[in-house]
Amino acid sequence: MSDEPVQQPPYSPDVRDLEDIPSVEVISRAAVMLLSAGAERLGLADEDPASSPHRDLDEARRLITALAGLVTASAEYLGLHAGPLREGLQSLQKAFREASAVPDAPGQGPGEKYTGPVY
C-alpha cells in the first residue's frame, strides 16, 4: 500500500463543473430524480405495485410534495420541459390516490397545495 494520494485525471469528458450546467438542466435532473424515486416508493417499477417491497406511501408522499413544489416554483424557467414534468407529477399524484386505502380529500393529497386538486 502506498501513502501517496491518488491522482485524478485533470479532465474527464463525463464530468462537468456545476457552473457549466444550465439551470434548466439542474432543475430538470432534480425533478426527474424525485419523479423516479416517487414512482419507486409507489411500487410502480414492480409488476404488482401493491406487493412491492419498495412500496412506502409515507415516503412517496414526501417525494411527490417536493416534486410539486419544485415544478410549480420553477415552471416559468423550464420551457418545453415544464409540460412533461407536470404530466409526470400528475400521474404520480393519481397513482398515490389509487394506492391509498383511504384517499385524501381533493386538494389534500401530496403536492396538491402547490398544484391544486388532482382527480
Side-chain angles (χ1 to χ4, degrees):
M1 302 273 301
S2 171
D3 291 332
E4 306 245 348
V6 176
Q7 293 285 333
Q8 294 292 327
Y11 174 75
S12 172
D14 296 332
V15 176
R16 295 190 293 174
D17 290 328
L18 230 75
E19 70 260 10
D20 296 333
I21 303 173
S23 59
V24 68
E25 187 175 337
V26 173
I27 295 166
S28 296
R29 285 184 184 190
V32 168
M33 180 177 284
L34 289 167
L35 187 67
S36 298
E40 283 285 338
R41 291 302 188 178
L42 288 172
L44 299 178
D46 293 325
E47 279 187 41
D48 181 16
S51 65
S52 171
H54 306 290
R55 188 173 194 162
D56 184 334
L57 296 184
D58 187 48
E59 288 289 311
R61 177 184 294 278
R62 294 171 188 183
L63 293 162
I64 294 167
T65 300
L67 176 61
L70 177 63
V71 170
T72 301
S74 58
E76 68 180 290
Y77 308 114
L78 293 174
L80 299 173
H81 302 277
L85 290 173
R86 277 194 200 117
E87 289 172 13
L89 168 59
Q90 192 172 62
S91 294
L92 282 184
Q93 289 172 311
K94 288 178 181 178
F96 184 92
R97 184 172 297 283
E98 290 174 14
S100 297
V102 179
D104 296 313
Q108 301 300 309
E112 290 183 6
K113 72 179 180 180
Y114 302 113
T115 63
V118 176
Y119 300 98

